[in-house]
Amino acid sequence: MKWSLYLYVLVLISSLDIFANNKFIYEEKILAADEAFIINVVNNDNEIFIEWKIEEKYYLYADSIKISLNKKLVKHKIIDGLKNQFEDEFFGKTEIYKNKLKISLDKDGVSTGYEISYQGCAEQGLCYPVQKYVI
């Protein structure tokens, strides 16, 4: 009797451990887009710096980052950020940024009204719609 109770408890504990590590029971919370991709904008005399802090297990598509002013695209420079090659199930081979990205643009006398658009995904498979941020 004692031996069978011990065996029963051992099987129960083992099965709980298996279920606890199972994807269906333990699922990481997916962050909102503004929590996964935190933007900081610094507006200097001649330039605007835009920096994304990209949370772990999230990424931004490199070709989705666009800046416009009065609906016209504005050129920007990558200052900091490492592009990674990525095989995306929807877009195929693409380039992404992880961890951080910092860009700059010349403001040519205009310091407000810029619209930043970008798109990213969680590694769990959820992709966000295009996000927009206005300076």
Side-chain angles (χ1 to χ4, degrees), residues 71-88:
K71 304 211 186 253
K72 293 181 183 174
L73 286 179
V74 176
K75 290 185 180 184
H76 61 275
K77 296 181 282 192
I78 305 294
I79 295 175
D80 191 12
L82 180 63
K83 265 189 200 177
N84 297 286
Q85 296 292 321
F86 184 71
E87 183 68 36
D88 187 275

Side-chain angles (χ1 to χ4, degrees), residues 105-124:
L105 57 108
D106 295 328
K107 51 187 204 179
D108 296 325
V110 179
S111 58
T112 60
Y114 291 94
E115 183 178 270
I116 305 163
S117 64
Y118 58 95
Q119 185 178 24
C121 297
E123 289 180 358
Q124 290 177 292

Side-chain angles (χ1 to χ4, degrees), residues 4 8-9 11 13 23 25 27 32 34 42 47 50 55 67 78 97 99 102 105-106 115 117 132:
S4 63
Y8 174 75
V9 170
V11 169
I13 290 172
K23 182 179 176 182
I25 292 178
E27 184 117 6
D34 61 344
V42 176
E47 288 181 288
I50 304 155
E55 289 296 322
I67 301 174
I78 305 294
Y97 289 101
N99 303 319
K102 187 173 185 179
L105 57 108
D106 295 328
E115 183 178 270
S117 64
K132 296 196 185 283

Side-chain angles (χ1 to χ4, degrees), residues 50 53 69:
I50 304 155
K53 178 183 179 268
L69 180 63

Side-chain angles (χ1 to χ4, degrees), residues 11-23:
V11 169
L12 179 65
I13 290 172
S14 296
S15 64
L16 288 176
D17 184 51
I18 290 168
F19 285 123
N21 290 319
N22 191 318
K23 182 179 176 182

